[in-house]
Amino acid sequence: MKKKLMAAVIGFAGISLTACGSKETAATTAAATTAAETTTAAETTKAPETEAKKEEGPAKVTEPITITFWHDRTSDTDHAFLQKSIEEFNKTNEYGITVEEVAQGYLDNVQAAIETAIAAGDAPELADLSCNGIPLFASEGVLADMTPYVKRDGFDMSNVVKELTDYVYYEDQIVAMPYTRGTAILYYNKDLYEKAGLDHAPESLEELNEYAKKIYDDSNGEIKGVGYTIEPTYYQHYLLASLNGIGFMDEDGLGASCVTDGTMEKFLTDWYTWTEEGWCEIPALSSASSAMQEAFYNGKLAAFVSSSNRATSISNKAADAGITLGMSGTVGYGGYAAPLGGGSIGIIGKDHNDQEIAAAWEFVKFLMSDDQVAKNHIETGVLPTTYSAVEGKELKDFWADEKNAGYRISYEQVKNASAPSMSLYTSEWNGIVRSAYSQVIQARDITPADAVKNMAAEAEALFPAK
């Protein structure tokens, strides 16, 4: 099974990916655990093949060059900001580098497109990658090691927000930088919830459900109280984590005890019951996130959970629809609980020369500048990725305005947010769990108990024996 997973990148494993993050596991090194260790990791590079290369260091761009970035920034505000960033970089970089962007859909679409392109020898130089793809690509040597560039340019890895470095390191290499990372936000119609009697943001799943059901009942079933799309490594992961402390996969990334300890069955049974009672929205079979948001703007849904990365877009559309929007931290069983997800930008080293990789690094470095980091958060909702940007005047002033409280919450959640472990098994396990959720919640052709039994059998076959 492990051989199957290691070959997934080259073998077009039509893997379904979601936004996610991780804790330290066997697949990572201690380099990512502390600022001191990250500095050590940045300084510990592999010996170059020749002494000449050692003296020269990594290549610099010597003539005009065009590189391509594949991404998932497809929402209105996301795409507009990326285009603006690229335009600024193309005009101001000293090397004559031109970046071209290609939107591929969601992170799973980016992954699938890259798998195909790698096999065809036509991959882009840069890509925004999910937690599922990074360990697979890194294990196959697809991603370029940024460590020599980090060392040469004095890029301070200890300035990168520690909780966002979970998919930065693979073994002794820096294989990605956090770019479109996000926590989840509960977006809710304040007027509807206040009319139902809730005069503050929900503080637990139990409280959210109580008022979601009341909104549904008071509207004679016209308005659903809350909704979730199917994202096992993200939305459902944090709900499971509020029950078992680890979520949908064990902390070492080598198992899924949730399917044998009763927590998966409890959660899935609860979710099925909520949808059966009617007050929890059943996600659409396609474009579920867009469909849920449209129901919200049309007054047919009172609340939904979505990424903080969509905060600006959702805020703008809610205002256009005349909705008084509430944005709060997400809640799980017994209190607050949040996931950490989103994408990290990687350089595709496979089949690219030194000049292309060097040009890609210059764009990565530009995106990690304080100016870009702050504007990315303000204009889209994407998490700020550096401490210096967080402490800068631009973000402090932005967060000081109460109307931007939701953006501040998205960052404040980071320290306690839950995320799946970095593991070679994440992709395949995610696909198994996603299929089970769909059978229970969307198709409704299997019971939660039977779905969990099936998942347990799949887990036994997938994960290595302990």
Side-chain angles (χ1 to χ4, degrees), residues 14-75:
I15 302 170
S16 178
L17 305 176
T18 57
C20 51
S22 91
K23 296 180 181 178
E24 259 48 65
T25 72
T28 63
T29 67
T33 59
T34 65
E37 289 169 324
T38 57
T39 302
T40 301
E43 295 174 351
T44 306
T45 63
K46 292 184 177 180
E49 294 178 1
T50 66
E51 285 301 314
K53 281 188 177 180
K54 184 175 181 180
E55 292 174 3
E56 293 170 4
K60 287 193 174 184
V61 179
T62 57
E63 58 186 25
I65 185 172
T66 297
I67 58 174
T68 305
F69 175 37
W70 287 5
H71 62 89
D72 66 322
R73 308 202 73 175
T74 54
S75 77

Side-chain angles (χ1 to χ4, degrees), residues 303-384:
F304 65 99
V305 174
S306 187
S307 173
S308 59
N309 293 2
R310 301 290 183 261
T312 302
S313 178
I314 292 169
S315 297
N316 292 344
K317 290 177 180 177
D320 291 343
I323 292 171
T324 304
L325 181 67
M327 292 170 59
S328 70
T330 46
V331 290
Y333 290 90
Y336 288 105
L340 177 60
S344 297
I345 191 168
I347 299 173
I348 310 298
K350 184 175 176 60
D351 298 327
H352 288 126
N353 61 40
D354 288 348
Q355 287 292 291
E356 292 167 328
I357 293 171
W361 162 251
E362 292 300 327
F363 186 56
V364 170
K365 190 169 59 172
F366 169 79
L367 294 178
M368 293 295 291
S369 67
D370 285 350
D371 178 65
Q372 283 294 303
V373 167
K375 288 176 178 175
N376 199 5
H377 177 67
I378 291 169
E379 296 187 31
T380 71
V382 165
L383 287 173

Side-chain angles (χ1 to χ4, degrees), residues 183-335:
T183 55
I185 291 290
L186 176 68
Y187 299 92
Y188 65 101
N189 186 317
K190 291 181 74 173
D191 293 336
L192 288 176
Y193 271 84
E194 287 177 2
K195 184 179 178 181
L198 185 65
D199 59 0
H200 58 274
E203 297 176 353
S204 69
L205 182 63
E206 293 81 1
E207 185 175 50
L208 171 63
N209 289 351
E210 175 189 350
Y211 288 94
K213 186 176 185 303
K214 191 172 188 304
I215 288 170
Y216 179 74
D217 291 341
D218 289 349
S219 69
N220 294 316
E222 291 295 316
I223 303 172
K224 306 283 187 180
V226 69
Y228 305 88
T229 56
I230 295 177
E231 299 290 352
T233 60
Y234 200 44
Y235 305 130
Q236 287 77 54
H237 168 78
Y238 82 85
L239 291 169
L240 273 169
S242 68
L243 283 172
N244 62 17
I246 54 174
F248 98 134
M249 181 183 285
D250 294 347
E251 195 165 1
D252 61 6
L254 302 176
S257 57
C258 60
V259 296
T260 57
D261 66 10
T263 53
M264 175 65 83
E265 185 168 351
K266 172 177 171 46
F267 164 67
L268 195 50
T269 300
D270 285 351
W271 191 12
Y272 178 83
T273 300
W274 304 337
T275 55
E276 190 73 4
E277 291 176 352
W279 53 266
C280 183
E281 178 86 321
I282 297 174
L285 291 174
S286 64
S287 303
S289 180
S290 297
M292 201 161 281
Q293 289 182 38
E294 285 305 311
F296 181 77
Y297 305 137
N298 292 330
K300 298 299 183 181
L301 179 65
F304 65 99
V305 174
S306 187
S307 173
S308 59
N309 293 2
R310 301 290 183 261
T312 302
S313 178
I314 292 169
S315 297
N316 292 344
K317 290 177 180 177
D320 291 343
I323 292 171
T324 304
L325 181 67
M327 292 170 59
S328 70
T330 46
V331 290
Y333 290 90

Side-chain angles (χ1 to χ4, degrees), residues 121-132:
D122 191 29
E125 288 80 5
L126 287 160
D128 198 18
L129 302 169
S130 79
C131 65
N132 297 335

